[in-house]
Amino acid sequence: MPGDLHSRFAQSFARFADRTLVEMNGKAWTYAEIEALSARLAARLGELGVRPGERVLVQTGKSVETLLLYFAVVRSGAIYLPLNVDYTEAELEYFAADAGPVLAVCREGDEPLFERIGKGAVAVTTLAALFGNLPEQGAAPAPRAADDIAAILYTSGTTGKPKGAMLTNRNLVANGETLIDLWRFTLEDRLIHALPIFHVHGLFVAVHCVVFSGASMVFLEKFESSAVIDLMACSTVLMGVPTFYIRLLADARFTREAAANMRLFISGSAPLSADIHRAFEARSGHRVLERYGMTETGMLTSNPYEGERRAGYVGPPLPDVELRIADFETGKVLAQGEVGIVEVSGPNVFAGYWQMHEKTAAEFRPDGFFITGDMGFIDTDGSVQLVGREKDLIISGGLNVYPAEVEALLDDRADVAEAAVIGVPHPEFGEAVVAVVQPAGSFDADAVREEMRRDLAAFKVPKRIIVLGVLPRNTMGKIQKKLLREKYAGLFETPSSPPL
Ligand code: MLC
Ligand code: AMP
């Protein structure tokens, strides 16, 4: 059987032709309609010069047209490169220069911006323009091998610039197949899809579970608890980040009755607190199934479908994933129960960072295991608990923010002597970005936040900027972020007991 992603989609397009694949705003598309439209769109991409192996940069809103573009790019054998719609011009410039796309698809009105960042080397279009010129005849699928790159997703780094994680056809097919078995997806399922579709979670985990199994999904443009609750009566699965579950609990309409038709609530991308896990069960009668993954690897562990879904644990490794705990410095594999760095290998682990051989090499052990940067241990029952991160990363509402990027922007300012950016517990987002600043002269925190919005996606802009005369340092002169995190731990009033 061919190991490429399009062939896997094509199986489902044929097998479930007359069934609904996706609904949005009251309109539905069958598998056959999605296949026909994406084939015509692939033909249009071909007319615009898109060839196998070339990058198609996409910054468009959540819509069925964007989903069609994903299927079309895969069909044409090109590399799909989705970008967060929040990214600003400064951020986009880097991705365009690094990825060297042949085509950029943007939102209407953004064409001049993309013309600028593409520097004349990138064709720029919009979904409306693409769909306004669809050829009658669909394109034949381009032959692709399992090891060919299907998508590049950028992830930031502790230091330096964002890295493009290259995901192969095999990575995406293997992970999707494993997940539909594990989570028992069938053609009877209807997924409430409220995640963005530019990350691994909303794009690959959610969409592939649906398409591979012949299920259907309802696209919501964004998470909105009342719309999600309304959909529960005629849906079976919700996938989300912990913030979804926190927001559902805050909504009085979310009850056992409201959730009665649902069979599965899945959480990931950020830690789901044991308190929220328990509160959710008390309210709805459902135990959330928590799983753990990464852009570079797709899904790695999952609590069991049957068997105990342990609060605070991310479950055992998926059947085709090897997971071990090692000493970060030496790489020595640690015994069961010991805390160390999580390392993984399997058919889901990415092919490396786009044009960054050294960075790629630095994140793999000589025997091929990928070093995740997450700290954890394996319990006696084989379940993994994550206890922290070796990487200096803040996860806010399931979105990653690397402090170095925010600090660099602040440090560049004339009114800032030095800045430290930390993650502080937040009742809704899990962690919130906070900057602690040692000013140089007069400093207006609100004005600075406003200015930062020009250069940084909104979720990265500090929710608070705290002014401190002197930043605490150790004897080496290094800022002691741990002390700052302790000092400001109560900044956003985390309720001691979750909303019930
Ligand atoms: C929005 N804002 C955020 C934010 N999302 N701030 C911090 N963290 C976030 N995640 C900002 C908005 O810009 C706005 O700022 C303010 O917060 C309030 O916005 P909102 O209307 O409340 O936000 P909303 O649109 O509802 O979004 C919140 C959210 C969303 C949690 C629903 O962020 C979301 O869908 N997150 C999921 C991300 C995701 O898919 N992660 C998976 C990554 S893959 P202002 O200042 O303008 O008011 C991965 C691998 C794996 O991690 O394992 O899955
Ligand atoms: P990303 O780089 O956006 O793919 O984010 C991946 C990171 O999200 C992982 O390395 C973890 O730190 C974190 N993550 C994902 N799922 C979980 C989870 N269930 N619990 C805790 N952290 C998680």
Side-chain angles (χ1 to χ4, degrees), residues 195-196 199 201 222 247 269 291 293 396-399 453 458 463:
L195 288 158
H199 292 302
H201 196 165
K222 56 180 275 191
R247 287 188 180 177
S269 306
R291 73 1 169 233
S396 172
L399 294 170
R453 285 172 176 277
K463 298 267 182 255

Side-chain angles (χ1 to χ4, degrees), residues 155-156 199-200 267-272 290-296 314 372-374 386 388-389 391 393 395 398-400 402:
T155 93
S156 291
H199 292 302
V200 162
S267 177
S269 306
L272 181 78
E290 185 174 8
R291 73 1 169 233
Y292 153 58
M294 281 184 84
T295 299
E296 289 93 332
V314 294
T372 62
D374 293 306
L386 298 175
R389 293 184 282 269
K391 52 196 175 191
L393 165 69
I395 304 186
L399 294 170
N400 292 3
Y402 279 87

Side-chain angles (χ1 to χ4, degrees), residues 202-476:
L203 184 61
F204 302 141
V205 184
V207 171
H208 293 179
C209 276
V210 166
V211 177
F212 287 13
S213 63
S216 69
M217 60 188 165
V218 192
F219 262 19
L220 293 174
E221 208 174 326
K222 56 180 275 191
F223 180 88
E224 215 258 297
S225 59
S226 66
V228 168
I229 294 167
D230 286 342
L231 281 171
M232 285 182 189
C234 51
S235 305
T236 58
V237 185
L238 175 69
M239 272 183 204
V241 295
T243 302
F244 285 20
Y245 296 103
I246 292 167
R247 287 188 180 177
L248 283 174
L249 285 171
D251 192 319
R253 289 182 58 227
F254 182 61
T255 58
R256 200 169 273 260
E257 294 69 44
N261 194 57
M262 296 287 287
R263 74 167 179 92
L264 185 58
F265 291 90
I266 303 175
S267 177
S269 306
L272 181 78
S273 80
D275 282 347
I276 298 295
H277 190 282
R278 286 191 274 268
F280 196 87
E281 183 178 14
R283 176 82 76 82
S284 68
H286 288 275
R287 285 178 83 85
V288 176
L289 186 154
E290 185 174 8
R291 73 1 169 233
Y292 153 58
M294 281 184 84
T295 299
E296 289 93 332
T297 63
M299 299 303 98
L300 291 166
T301 73
S302 169
N303 271 280
Y305 187 78
E306 275 163 12
E308 198 194 350
R309 300 179 192 165
R310 294 178 71 187
Y313 284 77
V314 294
L318 304 187
D320 52 358
V321 171
E322 273 189 81
L323 184 149
R324 68 190 185 195
I325 305 293
D327 179 276
F328 179 62
E329 298 301 336
T330 64
K332 181 176 163 281
V333 178
L334 300 176
Q336 182 270 314
E338 287 189 83
V339 173
I341 200 93
V342 177
E343 300 183 352
V344 294
S345 104
N348 52 317
V349 175
F350 75 133
Y353 297 112
W354 171 254
Q355 290 178 341
M356 287 186 178
H357 298 294
E358 278 173 27
K359 283 217 162 76
T360 303
E363 295 196 19
F364 281 88
R365 297 289 183 200
D367 64 354
F369 273 68
F370 174 64
I371 309 165
T372 62
D374 293 306
M375 305 288 294
F377 67 91
I378 305 175
D379 209 349
T380 44
D381 65 350
S383 193
V384 175
Q385 181 167 96
L386 298 175
V387 297
R389 293 184 282 269
E390 197 279 327
K391 52 196 175 191
D392 190 11
L393 165 69
I394 301 167
I395 304 186
S396 172
L399 294 170
N400 292 3
V401 182
Y402 279 87
E405 185 184 2
V406 186
E407 283 161 1
L409 197 66
L410 285 164
D411 289 341
D412 273 353
R413 300 178 59 94
D415 53 1
V416 171
E418 198 164 6
V421 171
I422 54 172
V424 168
H426 188 282
E428 193 179 349
F429 291 124
E431 287 182 293
V433 178
V434 168
V436 187
V437 164
Q438 184 175 323
S442 78
F443 183 86
D444 177 346
D446 289 338
V448 171
R449 280 186 77 244
E450 274 316 304
E451 281 177 43
M452 290 179 86
R453 285 172 176 277
R454 272 201 319 254
D455 299 317
L456 280 183
F459 68 90
K460 298 181 194 168
V461 174
K463 298 267 182 255
R464 281 296 164 80
I465 300 183
I466 295 164
V467 175
L468 210 60
V470 186
L471 296 176
R473 289 171 193 280
N474 64 15
T475 46
M476 312 285 289

Side-chain angles (χ1 to χ4, degrees), residues 3 5 8-9 70 74 146 148-153 167-179 200 203-205 208 212 295 297-298 347-349:
L5 186 58
R8 184 61 189 83
F9 289 152
Y70 169 55
V74 171
D148 288 333
I149 308 303
I152 294 179
L153 269 72
L167 295 158
T168 66
N169 284 265
R170 175 183 285 107
N171 295 153
L172 300 176
V173 173
N175 212 227
E177 296 286 17
T178 301
L179 294 177
V200 162
L203 184 61
F204 302 141
V205 184
H208 293 179
F212 287 13
T295 299
T297 63
N348 52 317
V349 175

